[in-house]
């Protein structure tokens, strides 16, 4: 268990062990989420990434992407389409 003291301005210093656990450093943002009668602090960037992953769940299957080479091929195809669009315009 780690403790932090609240200043008169409502600020706290997050203990180093907690910063390391969250993977946050100077300038990073943290978010506070209420879960019942508790408040959980999270690394905002990691939480955003998890939300994006959840939103895209199943998209690779729907597109027939099964491995890294499929991703490379898709990127090449999209680039070729974009280059073609610029040439035609």
């Amino acid at each position: 268990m780690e403790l932090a003291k609240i200043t008169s301005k409502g600020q706290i210093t997050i203990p180093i062990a907690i910063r390391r656990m969250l993977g946050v450093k100077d300038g990073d943002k943290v978010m506070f989420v209420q879960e019942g009668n508790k408040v959980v602090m999270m690394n905002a960037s990691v939480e955003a990434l998890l939300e994006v992953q959840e939103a895209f769940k199943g998209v690779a299957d729907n597109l027939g992407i099964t491995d890294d080479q499929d991703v490379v091929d898709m990127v090449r195809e999209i680039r070729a389409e974009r280059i073609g669009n610029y040439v035609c315009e």
Side-chain angles (χ1 to χ4, degrees):
M1 175 175 28
E2 299 284 341
L3 295 174
K5 184 177 179 181
I6 301 173
T7 69
S8 60
K9 294 182 179 183
Q11 299 170 330
I12 63 169
T13 299
I14 302 169
I16 187 78
I18 303 301
R19 293 194 313 263
R20 286 181 179 153
M21 183 183 72
L22 292 174
V24 294
K25 58 188 181 315
D26 185 41
D28 287 349
K29 293 184 178 185
V30 294
M31 62 188 293
F32 299 91
V33 179
Q34 184 177 353
E35 293 182 356
N37 63 347
K38 296 179 182 180
V39 175
V40 178
M41 182 173 48
M42 298 184 213
N43 180 327
S45 298
V46 170
E47 186 60 25
L49 178 59
L50 292 173
E51 287 182 23
V52 168
Q53 286 176 330
E54 184 63 29
F56 282 101
K57 189 180 271 186
V59 173
D61 291 336
N62 294 339
L63 294 174
I65 297 172
T66 58
D67 58 22
D68 292 346
Q69 188 58 49
D70 289 340
V71 173
V72 170
D73 294 342
M74 183 177 68
V75 168
R76 285 185 180 147
E77 183 179 319
I78 291 169
R79 285 180 179 163
E81 287 175 7
R82 288 187 176 179
I83 290 170
N85 289 339
Y86 290 124
V87 172
C88 295
E89 294 177 359

